[in-house]
Amino acid sequence: MKLQRKNRLRALSLGAVAVSGALALTACGSDDTGKKTTDGSSSSTSASSIKCDGAKGQLLADGSSAQKNAIDAWVKSFSQACGVQINYKGGGSGAGVTAFTQGQVAFAGSDSALKPEEVTASKKVCSGGQGIDLPMVGGPIAVGFNVPGVDNLVLDAPTLAKIFDSKITNWNDAAIKKLNPSAKLPDLKIQPFHRSDESGTTDNFTKYLIATTPDNWKYSGGKAWQAKGGQSAPQSAGVAQQVKQTSGAIGYFELSYVSDGIKAVSIDTGASKPVAPSTESATADIAAAKVVGTGKDLSLQLDYKTKAEGAYPITLVTYEIVCDKGNKADSLPATKAFLRYIASEDGQKVLSGIDYAPVPDEIIAKVRTTIEGLS
């Protein structure tokens, strides 16, 4: 569902929200099945507006496979301006956090904030400091489906939980019919797909199920998929590709991976109308997010149980994870310059048309201040 997404963010004027661009989640080249990040000069940043401040050499990074579209756009502009090579291996949030706590990368991308034990582990590589979470963008997690003859589909949390827990196995099940009385649902087996790698997208998707329908989703949650049954694929692009080529399939991934052959589910939240995933509907939910991190950490708490009109409940925030102190001297200038650029107004304007939702004004302002203090 790509309803008028291309130009919406620039016009967006929610009081608590700024058009502040985004980390759209990434993998390496093999994960490049989502929507392209740029459409010519309209989405590029003037090299003269990027402050290199002594950045040089190369940066290694890893993490969230959902950031690919954003990273591609940011790296292209930043590298042209500063001559810095940035190698972002999008192995998933779990891989990124592991690489960071082992000192293998300058920064990591994750769709879930650091856990206490991960913060503790980070202190071994952040001399005199620790790893912190810097939210760069929010976005909707779309539930994509491929059901012949069905273009519009509404599901609610209990039905989603039963589908992904292999309790509802056919598309003409009575529970799905009840939510879609006018749809011509076929007698077709449901093929649910989930992530095979440790993923912040999985973590956020299952947090939604745990929060909204605990009686139907009795798993503890986390980056690793826990339910039995279904099929798996690596990274967001892998799940999207499987849904696209499999009749009867359903899966979860970032909105930018919804493409030809994949439709997106609208969620019945209890509001007057079902809510489709979009930058606006995700922003409406993220606007209510609260900072729960302490010190320089800016991790957020999202409202998965929202019933607000027009608010899409299955959202995530992508964090860049970096040392607050004790960054390696040879990579610090480039790390700060890159993070400064992607958090800036110019950096975020690049992303206004690739299906990600902005971070609230007051939070992105704190992110910018925190970046300046990295050492």
Side-chain angles (χ1 to χ4, degrees), residues 125 192 227 295 359:
V125 296
V359 172

Side-chain angles (χ1 to χ4, degrees), residues 147-220:
V147 181
V150 180
D151 291 329
N152 299 297
L153 185 69
V154 175
L155 296 174
D156 58 12
T159 308
L160 270 176
K162 291 174 184 177
I163 287 173
F164 280 93
D165 200 22
S166 301
K167 301 293 176 58
I168 292 178
T169 58
N170 220 59
W171 280 111
N172 63 355
D173 187 274
I176 303 176
K177 283 184 175 181
K178 185 177 180 180
L179 291 164
N180 300 273
S182 61
K184 296 182 179 179
L185 296 166
D187 183 5
L188 178 67
K189 182 181 178 181
I190 297 174
Q191 305 276 3
F193 283 88
H194 58 266
R195 290 280 289 271
S196 60
D197 53 319
E198 289 201 353
S199 161
T201 310
T202 293
D203 190 17
N204 284 277
F205 179 64
T206 55
K207 279 179 179 177
Y208 163 74
L209 297 177
I210 292 168
T212 54
T213 184
D215 290 344
N216 295 298
W217 195 261
K218 298 183 180 295
Y219 304 98
S220 60

Side-chain angles (χ1 to χ4, degrees), residues 154 266-276 307-311:
V154 175
S266 293
I267 303 297
D268 183 349
T269 64
S272 64
K273 295 180 180 179
V275 185
K307 295 183 180 180
E309 296 296 327

Side-chain angles (χ1 to χ4, degrees), residues 59-125:
L59 288 180
L60 299 180
D62 195 0
S64 163
S65 71
Q67 290 191 108
K68 182 168 182 51
N69 296 332
I71 291 288
D72 283 350
W74 284 331
V75 167
K76 180 179 179 181
S77 295
F78 184 77
S79 295
Q80 286 177 344
C82 302
V84 176
Q85 178 184 350
I86 299 177
N87 180 8
Y88 183 89
K89 180 183 177 183
S93 296
V97 171
T98 297
F100 179 76
T101 57
Q102 292 180 351
Q104 298 171 357
V105 294
F107 68 91
S110 178
D111 311 320
S112 299
L114 291 169
K115 297 178 180 178
E117 60 269 27
E118 293 168 341
V119 173
T120 299
S122 74
K123 293 179 180 180
K124 297 178 182 178
V125 296

